Amino acid sequence: MKPSLAKGTRDFSAEEVIKRRYIIGRLQNNFELFGFQPLETPSFENLSTLTGKYGEEGDRLIFKILNSGNYLDKIADEELGLKNIQSITPQISEKALRYDLTVPFARYVAMNHGQLNFPFKRYQIQPVWRADRPQKGRFREFYQCDADAVGSTSLWQEVELVQLYVKSFADLGIPVKIHLNNRKILSGLAEYAAIADRLVDFTVALDKLDKIGKDGVEKELRAKGISEEAIEKLGFLFENLSENEVLFCLNQCFETVEIGRKGIEELTFVLEQCKALGLSDEVVVDLTLARGLDYYTGAIFEVKAQGVEMGSIGGGGRYDNLTEVFGVKNMPGIGISFGLDRICLVMEELGLFPESSSCKTEYLFANYGEAEALEAAKIIARLRAKGVACELYPESAKLKKQFAYADKKGIPYLVFLGEEELKTQSLTVKDLATGEQRTLTIEEFVV
């Protein structure tokens, strides 16, 4: 059978892995500069841990793991014949691959809150899985790089995460805009339009604006039974308004809507502090930003790269009630995520990876035979002890073949240690780019 990859997954070559490590290294450095500590959780969780945390659409994208053994044995033929997925799934699948890193983090906090020091700040860099339709920049297996803080309601946490975003993308050289909204504002808008009971339908549709446009969003709202009057009331959301005009419209809408006024208050605080810190150019108020996940309760973020056609490369928000589903109340939290795969695509498209990000072998020692190879191996060991990347060609093949290996691997120098060099305790180093050669004693070369 011809081998193939599962849809939505990829192999990563050495060059690609090195680029990804370059990004991860800078993110990890910034996470720790901001006081976040590392954490890792299992690749799969109990299905009950994940279900119901991402909304109806998110739940459909969870990869379920079939129970081992004859998982259909306990299901009656009659029930099986009904093909009721909601009824059958819990009986044949008890585990699932994690959909994101936030819910496993909340589960971890709920299980360990008695031992944690609050506010607890953690970062996590691990793969997640979603049964989504693969497309450019969207994969079924991908890495998330998250930073979360739990145990504080202070809005300075929001400001700090904006700073973390700005510094991290500046370090990577990616020009970005950080789109900012607040779920309380969206709840207020739903109340203002008399569709408070359809908040989830409203936010799910609004979250698709980038994909299906204004007409598509309005069509979906109508399909969900939302009235023309409500859609008309919310029409200003799709207009190109300035920040001041946005806030003016919201204040008019929320004269009698308390939750909406609270959202404006929180949004204004974050905006004012960001301006005071010199971050106003990077932050954009975006009322159409909804972040379809149900667990957000306050500020929501989305990061978009400038100058490239790509979806968001980061996002997150406040989720003050998430640990309650695990039996732990009064545990406010906020977190952001960096989309490693999309960041990598953006940097490739914009040519932002430095040449030094590729880790190359510096010296290849030619293999002339067993005796020469042993002496070369001794020198290689001394060089590696000094942190110099080098290797020995494994066979005493023709030099043409050894040259070709060095060329294809991008190794800049070939070292010759043959019978004559052994007699004089010297070696010859050839620069494969210029063709220049120089002969040194072994001690001169190693030092």
Side-chain angles (χ1 to χ4, degrees):
M1 184 178 74
K2 186 178 180 181
S4 63
L5 276 171
K7 286 185 179 180
T9 66
R10 296 150 296 162
D11 291 321
F12 295 108
S13 66
E15 183 180 355
E16 290 167 326
V17 170
I18 289 164
K19 287 179 177 178
R20 290 161 70 83
R21 286 181 180 173
Y22 172 81
I23 298 169
I24 289 172
R26 273 139 192 82
L27 295 182
Q28 190 169 333
N29 180 64
N30 283 324
F31 290 154
E32 294 180 1
L33 280 176
F34 279 70
F36 293 86
Q37 298 176 309
L39 175 71
E40 292 188 357
T41 59
S43 58
F44 60 90
E45 298 272 349
N46 290 323
L47 180 58
S48 57
T49 297
L50 304 179
T51 304
K53 314 304 186 301
Y54 307 107
E56 186 180 335
E57 293 214 355
D59 281 354
R60 284 201 294 267
L61 300 182
I62 294 173
F63 269 113
K64 285 84 172 176
I65 301 173
L66 291 174
N67 295 339
S68 57
N70 188 356
Y71 49 82
L72 295 177
D73 191 43
K74 296 180 181 179
I75 303 177
D77 291 343
E78 183 179 343
E79 185 177 3
L80 198 59
L82 293 174
K83 298 181 180 180
N84 186 326
I85 295 297
Q86 290 183 331
S87 170
I88 293 174
T89 298
Q91 300 181 63
I92 64 173
S93 175
E94 297 173 356
K95 306 288 188 295
L97 294 176
R98 60 175 172 240
Y99 177 92
D100 71 353
L101 300 178
T102 304
V103 170
F105 172 57
R107 188 264 309 150
Y108 173 84
V109 171
M111 291 179 64
N112 299 278
H113 67 280
Q115 291 78 46
L116 299 177
N117 180 33
F118 294 103
F120 177 58
K121 300 169 71 174
R122 84 85 172 85
Y123 74 87
Q124 195 169 345
I125 303 173
Q126 288 185 280
V128 299
W129 294 266
R130 296 182 186 178
D132 211 345
R133 184 170 60 87
Q135 53 186 286
K136 182 183 178 183
R138 187 184 296 276
F139 307 99
R140 288 176 171 172
E141 179 188 59
F142 58 97
Y143 268 74
Q144 282 189 341
C145 308
D146 284 11
D148 289 75
V150 294
S152 173
T153 59
S154 171
L155 293 174
W156 281 106
Q157 301 273 32
E158 279 83 336
V159 177
E160 186 176 62
L161 290 179
V162 171
Q163 290 179 283
L164 176 56
Y165 263 147
V166 170
K167 185 179 187 310
S168 297
F169 285 114
D171 287 352
L172 293 170
I174 303 175
V176 298
K177 292 290 184 185
I178 302 169
H179 292 238
L180 182 63
N181 199 6
N182 194 296
R183 289 286 288 215
K184 292 183 178 72
I185 288 176
L186 293 172
S187 295
L189 288 170
E191 189 173 325
Y192 163 71
I195 56 169
D197 59 331
R198 313 304 296 275
L199 176 62
V200 173
D201 291 335
F202 167 51
T203 55
V204 167
L206 196 59
D207 199 46
K208 297 177 182 177
L209 181 64
D210 283 350
K211 301 175 189 174
I212 61 178
K214 174 189 173 185
D215 292 341
V217 171
E218 291 181 346
K219 182 180 179 181
E220 184 160 329
L221 290 174
R222 291 187 188 98
K224 295 290 185 180
I226 293 175
S227 69
E228 290 296 332
E229 181 183 0
I231 293 172
E232 188 176 335
K233 275 189 167 186
L234 299 169
F236 73 94
L237 293 176
F238 307 106
E239 296 176 11
N240 188 21
L241 303 177
S242 68
E243 184 179 303
N244 288 334
E245 288 172 331
V246 165
L247 295 175
F248 176 77
C249 287
L250 289 177
N251 279 308
Q252 283 191 315
C253 295
F254 297 157
E255 285 182 1
T256 60
V257 181
E258 184 177 348
I259 192 171
R261 292 200 307 274
K262 180 65 176 174
I264 293 176
E265 180 185 322
E266 293 179 2
L267 178 65
T268 302
F269 178 89
V270 176
L271 289 172
E272 287 178 350
Q273 307 319 313
C274 287
K275 286 177 182 177
L277 291 166
L279 306 177
S280 55
D281 289 343
E282 290 90 352
V283 179
V284 177
V285 176
D286 183 358
L287 293 186
T288 64
L289 173 60
R291 302 292 296 170
L293 302 180
D294 283 354
Y295 55 63
Y296 291 123
T297 58
I300 43 179
F301 309 93
E302 197 154 275
V303 183
K304 296 186 179 180
Q306 304 299 290
V308 292
E309 288 296 323
M310 183 67 69
S312 65
I313 58 173
R318 181 166 284 281
Y319 47 89
D320 285 345
N321 305 320
L322 193 59
T323 57
E324 285 189 18
V325 298
F326 300 119
V328 178
K329 296 184 177 181
N330 303 318
M331 191 63 68
I334 184 170
I336 57 173
S337 182
F338 293 78
L340 174 62
D341 299 283
R342 289 189 177 187
I343 291 171
C344 195
L345 289 172
V346 167
M347 291 186 67
E348 285 178 342
E349 192 166 332
L350 296 179
L352 295 175
F353 283 108
E355 288 185 17
S356 59
S357 67
S358 56
C359 177
K360 295 178 180 177
T361 299
E362 191 168 352
Y363 297 103
L364 173 68
F365 280 70
N367 191 326
Y368 285 94
E370 190 171 330
E372 292 87 348
L374 176 59
E375 293 306 312
K378 292 177 182 178
I379 297 169
I380 288 171
R382 293 174 66 185
L383 290 173
R384 287 173 178 164
K386 292 176 175 289
V388 179
C390 47
E391 57 185 282
L392 170 70
Y393 193 80
E395 288 92 23
S396 57
K398 291 182 179 179
L399 279 180
K400 182 178 180 181
K401 188 174 182 180
Q402 300 189 48
F403 268 101
Y405 174 82
D407 181 56
K408 288 179 181 178
K409 199 168 180 180
I411 300 173
Y413 300 104
L414 190 58
V415 180
F416 304 107
L417 184 63
E419 186 178 351
E420 292 302 316
E421 284 85 2
L422 283 180
K423 291 178 182 177
T424 58
Q425 286 294 290
S426 64
L427 47 74
T428 300
V429 182
K430 184 179 183 70
D431 186 326
L432 296 182
T434 64
E436 294 180 3
Q437 292 187 179
R438 58 193 181 114
T439 301
L440 305 164
T441 67
I442 290 174
E443 290 305 315
E444 285 175 334
F445 177 71
V446 174
V447 172

